Amino acid sequence: MSFDSTVHQKAVDLAKLTYQITGSAGSGHPSTGASLVHLVTVLLYQHMRYEPMNPGHPSSDRLVLSEGHAVPVLYAAMADLGIAYRAATDAGFGTGDLKPLDREAALTLRAIDSPVDGHPNPPLGFPFFDAATGSLGQGLSVAAGLALAAKHDGLDKRVFCLIGDGESREGQIWEAVDFIKDHDLKAVCPVFNANDYAQSDKVADQQESAALVRKLEAVGYTVLRIDGHNPRAVAEAFSRHAQDQHNPSAPPVAIVADTVKGWGAPSQQGNGHHGQAPTGDTLQAVLDELAATEKQIGAAADTPLKRDLMSPNKPEAATVNAAPSFDEALKQFGQEAVLEKGKLATRKAYGVALRALGHARSDVLALDADVRGSTNAADFAKDDQLTDRFVECRIAEQNMASVALGLSAAGKVAMASTFGKFLTRAYDQIEMAVLSGVPLKLVGSHAGCTLGPDGPSQMGLADVAWFRGFSTMKFPNGKPGFTVLTPADAYACYALVQQMAAADAPVYLRTMRPDTEFLYAANTKFEFGGHEVLVEGRDLLVAAQGYMVHEANAALEKLDAAGIDATLVDLYSLPFDEEAIADLANDNNGMVLTVEDNYGGAMGSAVADALAATGDGFTVNQMHVERLPKSAKSADEMLDFCGLSADHIAKAAMGMLELTPA
Amino acid sequence: MSFDSTVHQKAVDLAKLTYQITGSAGSGHPSTGASLVHLVTVLLYQHMRYEPMNPGHPSSDRLVLSEGHAVPVLYAAMADLGIAYRAATDAGFGTGDLKPLDREAALTLRAIDSPVDGHPNPPLGFPFFDAATGSLGQGLSVAAGLALAAKHDGLDKRVFCLIGDGESREGQIWEAVDFIKDHDLKAVCPVFNANDYAQSDKVADQQESAALVRKLEAVGYTVLRIDGHNPRAVAEAFSRHAQDQHNPSAPPVAIVADTVKGWGAPSQQGNGHHGQAPTGDTLQAVLDELAATEKQIGAAADTPLKRDLMSPNKPEAATVNAAPSFDEALKQFGQEAVLEKGKLATRKAYGVALRALGHARSDVLALDADVRGSTNAADFAKDDQLTDRFVECRIAEQNMASVALGLSAAGKVAMASTFGKFLTRAYDQIEMAVLSGVPLKLVGSHAGCTLGPDGPSQMGLADVAWFRGFSTMKFPNGKPGFTVLTPADAYACYALVQQMAAADAPVYLRTMRPDTEFLYAANTKFEFGGHEVLVEGRDLLVAAQGYMVHEANAALEKLDAAGIDATLVDLYSLPFDEEAIADLANDNNGMVLTVEDNYGGAMGSAVADALAATGDGFTVNQMHVERLPKSAKSADEMLDFCGLSADHIAKAAMGMLELTPA
């Protein structure tokens, strides 16, 4: 019984410290943590392979805490085990030396000057965690991404994921369950913590442990249903996972652990204790209950718990070469006919760029959600030398985003594409990647209303506004929360995709469905934060992005005919160089017309922000989609419907200059 | 065999017309439509109860086409049956008389001047559809919302939902499957169209029909697996659903239909035909193949298909009374102590307002995603007279948003709440509600960084930027795509919630976690598009929203002490009266400081947009969150960390006036 009694002892100790930590903070979710004490003990003291002072080591096992609110029990274990966190310096959180977490530090939970945050928050300095969690249902997908990276790197790693039963109502959990089966990611060990209570109430029948077992079995998993407070049962389940992980013919394993929310302290059990952190006398009463439990179950640290050794292998360094120029890439791929045509949709240029990138860098993976023929990620998927690094995520965008987070956290360049509209579905997941400090690389195709025939359910229309929100925020490294790129032609798209791969902050690239004429050449320089002046004038500055650069160009011809000398700038990047744009505006009498084919609050608004901050009396007239689009057979018809045709642009420009159109 | 031969005949006819319609458009997804021809025939010609010229009748059965790209086959049936659409007039689509759809109109698919759109687009004039679909995986949740409304209205209705096998990879489908079971919504008849192919490839093993059967059975459904091209099997399955629907002890029924993508035309079957619309000779060859199939299967319209009669019942008119004032409501609910305290969190005011609203209007339902204790929707749930109208959606926000869409489409006032951060997860679904023209009412709590202890994974930070994108677009009725409300105190929140209920366009209300002092009184008027001038000055205009109104108020005291006479406006609504704000700015030397506790691209940006458009030389300095937040024990600490405290605001104001802080 010595293993049992030792695990029980540790479990009680962790439960006590969990209540003390949350008691000190005055808030938190200790009862959820208490339901996990045996699982966490067996994992962190016996089964997980990691170096306490180097938990981010590339070949260490990983733990994703999908139910992020349970984190105090992890802090308790980390404080006991001396697992490292990176201390804060004057330069910010996570910038100092590695230090072992101790009890004292853990007790600073949720304080403004503490890295011990309310939910896992890796940028504050916790390399033990790969992902910020706390918005539920995402962890299993992250775990799948970490396991997929390990598979590509040939690392014998295990990726444990603790999932709440209540949160398994989130459909994304089941997307991840399917994905793990598709890709045979048996390194993932999903552990459902079936403590039977969510925040408001008991979980639904469909999230009870018996139902979770049935659902997992329906997908073809080997499901181990165990008593989550029985040390040997827990250890045996983890051992069974380790065994089946290396059996090619075994299905993936999932563990469903029946646990007690508020384990060890009867007063904290049942409904109504979620998010309640006892303090003062109530805390003391809980600690007394835990002491009583300790005696009752014969807890005694009479046997040392030994951890498995970490696998010593490390990933090989990635090959990183420069990609050829767009022209060269087209020739290599037998697509030189494109050069003669002189036009190509940016979504097609993305396919070429992605393929060239895949050949240049061995750390690149391409992900897509069953629309690779439309996003042109198919160019990568169909290439014999790259197809192994293509990840078909099927129609499940949330899972794709979180898998990309996991891959990125493991050092991969994960290029994830789908329609810009469908990425909207994963905005919560994308924001969690930002909070994780991970350089997500997203490609949203069919951006703007020029998509045409398929109609508004397929158009990216509010995407710029959302991503721009993040572009107004900076990471500690000075990089924006998101850089939003809308290239206007194939050359720009190709060049920016190559730069995306190297970017150390999140990037969102928007591509368009219709073919667009070449504006640039292989030697044109593009950069994050950059812009390109296409026409230099002096009467009016027209700022456009994407397809609208072409439409604005056509408008400039009309203006020219009317004697108006306008400047045209391709504002392909948000954020941009605000001073340079203000200078351009000043050179054009302070008259600015912005043109984009999505809803407002976007590029034009960013221009207005920049110019209004100067106090210099600019006039910024924004043109954007102001009505619900519909289907149209051509981009021209759609732009006319939305009041964004070259004629409309020219008319608006003349209106600003108080001229009447001819 | 006459029923069979007649259904076959109609199925072939619909397949032909489907190919002709998409051929005419030059794009679309006819092979998916062809897989549905027997299901659609048996449904629309036999089982669904509706009046062709009044398909939006409140007691008619409903059809939700979750796989929206299959819509041409529906247009084919509607054209054959003369189901009504609302014609366009000069005032726009959907504003004219009801007209029966005919073949000629159907052949205008995807044209700019046609209401026959590429995916279901109800605002163009199709009352047959309740929801815009085309972003996948959402229809079953909408169907659940429609069925829930019917249940509350005592209407004996059936709600059919056609779901693709590929799209059943979307986790939301399984959220809906769970939800239907929770709420025993047996009026919903989910039909999985298992044609075995998605866009890129065959579906995964986990989406094959056998797996779909196992998954549905794991949740406890009665699953009818049928040959989707066998007329009698299809009819019997629908009959079984009708029978079990009224059997209180029967579980919900789901149909899994094995079908053939490109049925009837072998050249269009197998992989690679998704989204391919044959034209010219290829189209003719397909029509020839269908003619051959017609002969081969003995198709013959030798028996009239009879439809069931529509249930004659109609919903009772809702009781709509005015709610009492906030003060009266507090007294009614025994919470008058709040009045003495003089402060209340807006999330708590939401609870009071929702409860008062529920008593005043019988058409109000409240939805929440397992955080009712935090959003305070619990006030409604716990009220004996209202609890039947509370809908616990558990931890599945996407399903909640689409259920709210369904409820709203059926005429209910569906107030859906969760943390603003978690609503992000449902942005795709919310945008589909906008495209559906449905007045969604959303409440996002814990808005902004003042949330404090729980950290950034629980904060609404990019929400204003996204919803504001929609506020720059208008519906045909002149209402904005979304109105975003951030009340600064309990009175404002209470008043605005009452107005939300009556709003005929989408509204997003943001509430805050911390208590805030009362700024207003029961007789203060609030309105969509409105603002409130709290302090009138002349040196500088400070515009703030939500919590930041209080912080700005404190800053004004400091400014006053420094001899600065600032104006403070509570800009609680986006969009707002731009002229009025410009006038206020002009009255304050054109100097404007905006203050919000979320990322940028939001309220301050809307102010910059409005002022920059005037060309009058305003200076707009925007303060917002510019770094990743973390946990903090208090709002004060968090605001200090983010550079948004009263001191920071005062300092920024002085900086604008080129004064040095004392």
Side-chain angles (χ1 to χ4, degrees):
Chain A
M1 296 298 283
S2 57
F3 173 74
D4 281 11
S5 58
T6 303
V7 171
H8 279 317
Q9 179 66 58
K10 196 54 82 177
V12 170
D13 288 348
L14 294 185
K16 286 181 184 169
L17 188 49
T18 300
Y19 277 101
Q20 283 162 335
I21 291 171
T22 54
S24 165
S27 66
H29 305 77
S31 62
T32 306
S35 68
L36 287 168
V37 283
H38 291 86
L39 289 160
V40 166
T41 298
V42 176
L43 255 185
L44 265 70
Y45 292 80
Q46 189 192 39
H47 271 264
M48 255 187 88
R49 298 165 300 180
Y50 61 94
E51 294 171 5
M53 282 306 290
N54 188 10
H57 188 286
S59 63
S60 73
D61 289 346
R62 311 306 303 163
L63 172 63
V64 181
L65 184 66
S66 190
E67 49 176 337
H69 56 276
V71 71
V73 72
L74 267 300
Y75 292 137
M78 292 166 79
D80 185 49
L81 286 157
I83 293 177
Y85 72 101
R86 203 168 283 284
T89 70
D90 288 345
F93 287 102
T95 56
D97 295 332
L98 284 174
K99 288 174 63 174
L101 191 72
D102 57 20
R103 188 186 166 88
E104 192 187 358
L107 285 166
T108 65
L109 177 73
R110 297 179 169 223
I112 189 70
D113 52 358
S114 167
V116 186
D117 230 32
H119 291 79
N121 196 346
L124 299 184
F126 275 92
F128 188 80
F129 297 119
D130 298 283
T133 51
S135 183
L136 294 169
Q138 306 182 19
L140 190 56
S141 305
V142 174
L146 292 167
L148 189 57
K151 193 172 184 171
H152 279 278
D153 286 335
L155 295 177
D156 173 29
K157 195 184 275 197
R158 300 173 76 186
V159 186
F160 300 95
C161 184
L162 297 175
I163 306 155
D165 48 1
E167 77 164 315
S168 69
R169 181 76 168 222
E170 293 283 13
Q172 189 186 351
I173 291 288
W174 303 98
E175 295 176 1
V177 163
D178 279 352
F179 181 84
I180 288 167
K181 185 74 164 46
D182 263 1
H183 296 270
D184 196 33
L185 299 172
K186 291 206 289 273
V188 179
C189 181
V191 183
F192 290 84
N193 173 29
N195 67 26
D196 222 22
Y197 286 92
Q199 187 200 90
S200 303
D201 216 331
K202 287 194 83 156
V203 299
D205 293 349
Q206 297 88 263
Q207 276 68 49
E208 284 186 355
S209 53
L212 294 176
V213 171
R214 288 196 304 274
K215 288 177 172 188
L216 290 160
E217 286 180 346
V219 182
Y221 279 57
T222 298
V223 188
L224 311 175
R225 183 174 175 185
I226 58 167
D227 172 355
H229 298 296
N230 178 329
R232 274 176 305 172
V234 172
E236 280 165 17
F238 285 128
S239 296
R240 170 67 185 273
H241 172 263
Q243 187 184 319
D244 284 15
Q245 182 186 352
H246 296 108
N247 174 357
S249 64
V253 165
I255 299 171
V256 176
D258 288 303
T259 63
V260 177
K261 196 157 174 172
W263 179 87
S267 71
Q268 301 301 305
Q269 295 168 9
N271 206 23
H273 298 284
H274 186 93
Q276 301 294 324
T279 55
D281 291 347
T282 319
L283 172 59
Q284 191 51 54
V286 170
L287 296 175
D288 293 345
E289 287 182 85
L290 284 164
T293 297
E294 190 171 3
K295 278 191 193 162
Q296 191 192 321
I297 58 173
D302 50 16
T303 249
L305 292 172
K306 275 191 203 155
R307 282 198 301 111
D308 291 348
L309 289 178
M310 189 162 76
S311 124
N313 58 0
K314 275 197 183 185
E316 282 176 40
T319 313
V320 180
N321 295 315
S325 73
F326 181 53
D327 294 359
E328 286 163 20
L330 285 172
K331 283 172 200 156
Q332 276 181 26
F333 302 149
Q335 291 175 259
E336 49 273 73
V338 166
L339 293 171
E340 282 163 43
K341 278 180 74 179
K343 60 180 182 177
L344 189 73
T346 48
R347 65 182 172 124
K348 292 179 184 162
Y350 173 67
V352 178
L354 182 66
R355 195 174 168 194
L357 184 64
H359 285 287
R361 292 184 68 130
S362 65
D363 54 358
V364 169
L365 280 84
L367 292 76
D368 195 272
D370 193 40
V371 288
R372 61 188 191 236
S374 302
T375 59
N376 286 82
D379 285 11
F380 187 103
K382 285 191 292 198
D383 187 317
D384 286 346
Q385 292 175 53
L386 304 174
T387 192
D388 287 347
R389 285 189 270 137
F390 178 73
V391 186
E392 177 55 69
C393 296
R394 303 190 186 267
I395 309 175
E397 297 76 11
Q398 300 195 322
N399 179 66
M400 179 171 74
S402 301
V403 165
L405 191 176
L407 285 166
S408 308
K412 295 295 178 192
V413 175
M415 305 285 292
S417 56
T418 182
F419 285 33
K421 172 64 167 73
F422 307 153
L423 269 182
T424 311
R425 195 175 201 113
Y427 278 5
D428 190 12
Q429 288 74 10
I430 292 167
E431 185 166 2
M432 294 310 291
V434 173
L435 294 179
S436 302
V438 152
L440 212 60
K441 285 124 206 308
L442 300 172
V443 181
S445 71
H446 297 67
C449 71
T450 56
L451 153 63
D454 281 292
S457 68
Q458 322 287 300
M459 296 172 181
L461 294 168
D463 55 340
V464 185
W466 191 73
F467 282 102
R468 182 168 91 84
F470 292 93
S471 80
T472 69
M473 174 273 281
K474 284 196 175 88
F475 289 110
N477 70 1
K479 298 290 169 71
F482 252 102
T483 297
V484 186
L485 303 169
T486 310
D489 90 339
Y491 284 97
C493 183
Y494 184 89
L496 290 167
V497 168
Q498 308 311 325
Q499 292 179 44
M500 274 177 85
D504 57 354
V507 186
Y508 174 53
L509 175 83
R510 303 170 76 234
T511 66
M512 297 164 299
R513 182 177 184 277
D515 276 341
T516 41
E517 287 179 12
F518 295 156
L519 294 170
Y520 302 112
N523 62 357
T524 317
K525 297 273 174 253
F526 298 92
E527 58 186 0
F528 289 15
H531 62 270
E532 188 71 24
V533 178
L534 287 165
V535 181
E536 272 190 88
R538 54 180 191 173
D539 295 334
L540 171 88
L541 172 64
V542 180
Q545 66 177 14
Y547 192 94
M548 300 314 288
V549 174
H550 302 266
E551 207 65 24
N553 219 353
L556 254 69
E557 286 177 28
K558 294 173 199 287
L559 292 173
D560 188 50
I564 297 172
D565 189 14
T567 298
L568 175 60
V569 62
D570 173 2
L571 209 49
Y572 59 79
S573 171
L574 297 177
F576 47 75
D577 179 339
E578 300 190 355
E579 270 185 50
I581 297 302
D583 288 346
L584 272 178
N586 268 322
D587 294 345
N588 285 270
N589 296 323
M591 302 301 277
V592 183
L593 179 63
T594 67
V595 192
E596 55 199 319
D597 67 335
N598 38 256
Y599 296 145
M603 179 273 285
S605 193
V607 171
D609 284 354
L611 300 185
T614 67
D616 282 350
F618 297 104
T619 302
V620 184
N621 183 5
Q622 298 183 38
M623 297 181 79
H624 56 73
V625 176
E626 296 184 17
R627 65 185 297 186
L628 280 181
K630 61 175 301 298
S631 289
K633 290 191 185 176
S634 72
D636 281 349
E637 286 174 326
M638 179 55 62
L639 292 175
D640 192 50
F641 180 81
C642 291
L644 293 170
S645 69
D647 278 345
H648 287 102
I649 298 168
K651 199 174 160 189
M654 290 184 190
M656 289 181 76
L657 301 176
E658 291 175 8
L659 300 169
T660 325
Chain B
M1 298 297 284
S2 57
F3 173 74
D4 281 12
S5 58
T6 303
V7 171
H8 279 316
Q9 180 65 59
K10 197 53 83 179
V12 170
D13 289 348
L14 294 185
K16 287 180 183 170
L17 188 49
T18 299
Y19 277 100
Q20 285 163 335
I21 291 172
T22 54
S24 165
S27 66
H29 305 77
S31 62
T32 307
S35 68
L36 288 168
V37 282
H38 291 87
L39 289 160
V40 167
T41 299
V42 176
L43 255 186
L44 264 70
Y45 292 80
Q46 191 193 37
H47 271 263
M48 254 186 88
R49 298 165 301 179
Y50 61 93
E51 294 171 5
M53 283 305 290
N54 188 9
H57 188 286
S59 63
S60 72
D61 288 346
R62 313 303 305 161
L63 172 63
V64 181
L65 185 65
S66 190
E67 48 176 337
H69 56 276
V71 72
V73 73
L74 267 299
Y75 292 138
M78 291 166 79
D80 184 50
L81 286 157
I83 293 176
Y85 72 101
R86 203 169 283 283
T89 70
D90 290 345
F93 288 103
T95 55
D97 294 333
L98 285 174
K99 289 173 64 174
L101 191 71
D102 57 20
R103 189 185 166 88
E104 193 186 357
L107 285 165
T108 65
L109 177 73
R110 298 179 168 223
I112 189 70
D113 53 357
S114 166
V116 186
D117 230 32
H119 290 79
N121 196 345
L124 299 184
F126 276 93
F128 188 81
F129 297 119
D130 299 283
T133 50
S135 182
L136 294 169
Q138 306 183 18
L140 190 56
S141 305
V142 175
L146 292 166
L148 188 58
K151 191 173 185 172
H152 279 278
D153 286 337
L155 295 177
D156 173 27
K157 196 183 276 199
R158 299 173 77 186
V159 187
F160 300 95
C161 184
L162 297 175
I163 307 154
D165 48 0
E167 76 165 317
S168 69
R169 181 78 168 221
E170 293 282 13
Q172 190 188 349
I173 292 288
W174 303 99
E175 295 175 359
V177 163
D178 279 351
F179 182 84
I180 288 167
K181 184 75 164 47
D182 262 1
H183 296 270
D184 197 33
L185 300 172
K186 291 206 289 273
V188 179
C189 181
V191 182
F192 290 84
N193 173 30
N195 67 26
D196 222 21
Y197 287 92
Q199 187 200 92
S200 304
D201 216 332
K202 287 195 82 158
V203 299
D205 293 348
Q206 297 87 265
Q207 278 67 51
E208 283 186 356
S209 53
L212 295 176
V213 170
R214 287 196 304 272
K215 287 178 172 187
L216 289 159
E217 285 179 346
V219 182
Y221 279 58
T222 298
V223 188
L224 310 174
R225 184 175 175 185
I226 58 167
D227 172 354
H229 298 296
N230 177 329
R232 274 176 305 173
V234 172
E236 279 165 18
F238 286 128
S239 295
R240 170 67 185 273
H241 172 263
Q243 188 184 316
D244 283 16
Q245 182 186 352
H246 297 109
N247 174 357
S249 64
V253 165
I255 298 172
V256 175
D258 288 301
T259 63
V260 177
K261 197 158 175 173
W263 179 87
S267 71
Q268 301 302 304
Q269 295 168 8
N271 205 24
H273 298 283
H274 186 93
Q276 301 295 323
T279 56
D281 291 347
T282 320
L283 173 58
Q284 191 51 54
V286 170
L287 296 175
D288 292 346
E289 287 183 86
L290 284 165
T293 298
E294 190 172 2
K295 280 191 192 163
Q296 192 192 320
I297 58 172
D302 51 15
T303 262
L305 293 172
K306 275 191 203 154
R307 283 198 301 110
D308 291 348
L309 291 178
M310 189 162 75
S311 126
N313 57 1
K314 278 197 182 185
E316 281 177 41
T319 312
V320 179
N321 294 316
S325 72
F326 181 53
D327 293 359
E328 286 163 20
L330 285 172
K331 283 172 200 156
Q332 275 180 28
F333 302 148
Q335 293 175 258
E336 49 274 74
V338 166
L339 293 171
E340 281 163 44
K341 277 180 75 180
K343 61 180 181 177
L344 189 72
T346 48
R347 66 183 171 122
K348 291 178 184 163
Y350 174 67
V352 177
L354 182 66
R355 195 175 169 193
L357 184 63
H359 285 288
R361 293 185 67 131
S362 65
D363 54 359
V364 169
L365 280 84
L367 292 76
D368 196 90
D370 194 39
V371 287
R372 63 188 191 236
S374 302
T375 59
N376 285 82
D379 284 12
F380 187 104
K382 287 190 290 197
D383 187 317
D384 285 346
Q385 292 175 55
L386 304 175
T387 193
D388 288 347
R389 286 189 270 138
F390 177 74
V391 186
E392 177 55 69
C393 296
R394 303 188 185 269
I395 308 174
E397 297 77 10
Q398 299 196 323
N399 179 67
M400 179 171 75
S402 301
V403 165
L405 191 176
L407 285 166
S408 307
K412 295 295 178 192
V413 174
M415 306 285 292
S417 56
T418 182
F419 285 34
K421 172 65 168 74
F422 306 153
L423 269 181
T424 310
R425 194 173 202 116
Y427 278 4
D428 190 11
Q429 289 74 9
I430 292 167
E431 184 166 3
M432 294 310 291
V434 172
L435 294 178
S436 302
V438 152
L440 213 58
K441 285 125 207 304
L442 301 171
V443 180
S445 70
H446 297 67
C449 71
T450 55
L451 153 62
D454 281 291
S457 68
Q458 324 287 300
M459 296 174 181
L461 294 169
D463 55 339
V464 185
W466 190 74
F467 282 101
R468 182 168 92 83
F470 292 93
S471 80
T472 69
M473 175 272 282
K474 285 198 174 87
F475 290 110
N477 69 2
K479 299 290 168 72
F482 252 102
T483 298
V484 186
L485 304 169
T486 311
D489 91 338
Y491 283 97
C493 182
Y494 185 89
L496 290 167
V497 168
Q498 308 310 324
Q499 292 180 43
M500 274 177 84
D504 56 355
V507 186
Y508 174 52
L509 176 83
R510 305 170 75 235
T511 65
M512 298 163 299
R513 182 177 183 277
D515 276 341
T516 41
E517 286 180 13
F518 296 155
L519 294 170
Y520 301 112
N523 61 358
T524 317
K525 296 273 175 252
F526 298 92
E527 57 187 1
F528 289 15
H531 62 270
E532 188 71 26
V533 178
L534 287 165
V535 181
E536 272 189 89
R538 55 180 191 173
D539 296 332
L540 171 89
L541 172 63
V542 180
Q545 66 177 13
Y547 193 94
M548 300 314 288
V549 173
H550 302 267
E551 206 67 22
N553 219 353
L556 255 69
E557 285 177 29
K558 295 174 198 287
L559 292 173
D560 188 50
I564 297 172
D565 189 14
T567 298
L568 175 60
V569 63
D570 173 2
L571 209 48
Y572 59 80
S573 172
L574 298 177
F576 47 75
D577 180 339
E578 300 190 354
E579 270 185 51
I581 298 302
D583 287 347
L584 273 178
N586 268 322
D587 294 346
N588 284 271
N589 296 324
M591 301 302 276
V592 183
L593 179 64
T594 67
V595 191
E596 54 200 317
D597 67 335
N598 39 257
Y599 296 147
M603 179 272 286
S605 193
V607 171
D609 284 353
L611 300 185
T614 66
D616 283 350
F618 297 103
T619 302
V620 183
N621 183 5
Q622 298 183 38
M623 297 182 78
H624 56 74
V625 175
E626 295 183 17
R627 66 185 296 185
L628 281 180
K630 60 175 304 297
S631 289
K633 290 192 184 174
S634 72
D636 281 349
E637 285 174 326
M638 179 54 62
L639 291 175
D640 191 49
F641 180 79
C642 291
L644 293 170
S645 69
D647 278 345
H648 288 102
I649 298 168
K651 198 174 160 187
M654 289 184 191
M656 289 181 76
L657 302 176
E658 292 176 5
L659 300 171
T660 324

